[in-house]
Amino acid sequence: EKVEKFKSLFMSLSTLLKELFGETRDNVISIKFLRLNDLDGLSNAANTFHTIFSQAIINDHIKGELKIESIENGSIWMDIFVGTTQAYILIGCIAWSAAVVYKKIQEGRIIEEHVKTLKIKNESLEDMRKAQQSLLNSIIESEANYIYNENFVGNNNEQIERLKNSVRLLADLIEKGAEIHPALNAPENVANLFPKMDNLLSIESKIKKLTE
């Protein structure tokens, strides 16, 4: 009897939640926007996210799409429907690679701060910055090629360039405080493609796993 009452209570609660918030759809990602103070900032951030996603998933191979599912107040959370599981997986790959790049940027800054304490000449410091930027560009290119090989077929350099841009832009947004999460109902194997936003400095490139 208690089991039946629990089932009834659960079904009633489920029905109420669906009426309040609608059905939970597959292939929905949640975005937490960076700290914003005005509508221009929100517009620019939204446009950047649109660029990141659209140039990666809006094509004949991935067949993704972008639709706003909901927007919440407070920190400004937005749920976006991306159309297909393939698009969902691709965005997870881009988010992971962007987290890898973000981590490298932070490591580079720590090194730069340490070098400054050694009172190295400005010329040497500038050379180090150039070397760091060259390394970042190399990492972004490697990550984009990995993403392409995992999600696309054939040779398409233009698509690889779009993926490089998506990774670079998302790494920049992550640095400014943006977050990207899989939906709570996402299958575990898909959710694990996304980086843990509360532990980004532990992220390792998935390319390394292929070479070990």
Side-chain angles (χ1 to χ4, degrees):
E1 184 178 349
K2 289 183 178 180
V3 173
E4 291 301 319
K5 287 184 178 179
F6 178 78
K7 285 183 179 179
S8 177
L9 178 62
F10 177 81
M11 293 301 295
S12 298
L13 179 60
S14 178
T15 301
L16 177 61
L17 290 174
K18 288 178 181 178
E19 290 177 354
L20 290 175
F21 303 108
E23 292 281 355
T24 301
R25 300 179 67 181
D26 293 333
N27 303 322
V28 171
I29 60 171
S30 295
I31 295 171
K32 181 181 179 181
F33 280 85
L34 47 157
R35 292 171 288 276
L36 302 169
N37 297 318
D38 52 46
L39 290 176
D40 284 341
L42 176 59
S43 176
N44 290 335
N47 285 335
T48 302
F49 270 114
H50 181 269
T51 298
I52 291 167
F53 298 147
S54 63
Q55 63 186 359
I57 70 172
I58 307 297
N59 52 67
D60 292 338
H61 182 73
I62 301 298
K63 296 181 172 62
E65 57 182 294
L66 294 171
K67 292 182 178 178
I68 296 175
E69 290 286 291
S70 64
I71 299 178
E72 298 182 15
N73 292 325
S75 297
I76 307 184
W77 284 86
M78 180 184 292
D79 291 341
I80 296 179
F81 174 69
V82 298
T84 65
T85 300
Q86 201 169 6
Y88 202 86
I89 290 172
L90 177 53
I91 289 175
C93 291
I94 291 171
W96 191 284
S97 291
V100 169
V101 174
Y102 164 81
K103 177 183 176 181
K104 290 300 179 183
I105 292 173
Q106 303 313 307
E107 290 175 349
R109 286 185 174 161
I110 291 173
I111 294 172
E112 182 175 335
E113 289 302 315
H114 176 66
V115 169
K116 285 180 179 178
T117 64
L118 301 177
K119 298 181 179 179
I120 301 295
K121 290 182 179 180
N122 289 336
E123 293 84 354
S124 298
L125 187 59
E126 185 60 29
D127 287 341
M128 190 204 71
R129 287 172 178 161
K130 289 179 180 178
Q132 177 68 12
Q133 187 58 55
S134 179
L135 175 62
L136 283 176
N137 291 339
S138 177
I139 292 171
I140 291 170
E141 183 167 2
S142 296
E143 292 290 332
N145 277 288
Y146 169 77
I147 294 169
Y148 183 87
N149 291 331
E150 289 291 303
N151 294 275
F152 293 86
V153 295
N155 297 313
N156 189 332
N157 289 330
E158 289 185 8
Q159 184 60 54
I160 293 174
E161 288 299 318
R162 286 192 283 269
L163 291 173
K164 286 167 61 176
N165 193 40
S166 289
V167 171
R168 185 180 289 106
L169 289 173
L170 186 52
D172 182 59
L173 287 178
I174 289 173
E175 188 176 13
K176 293 176 180 176
E179 297 180 13
I180 179 169
H181 299 265
L184 294 176
N185 68 329
E188 184 176 2
N189 64 318
V190 176
N192 288 340
L193 295 174
F194 288 75
K196 304 298 183 185
M197 301 305 299
D198 59 350
N199 198 18
L200 290 177
L201 295 183
S202 69
I203 290 292
E204 295 293 337
S205 173
K206 293 183 178 180
I207 300 174
K208 292 183 179 180
K209 295 183 180 179
L210 297 179
T211 58
E212 288 176 353

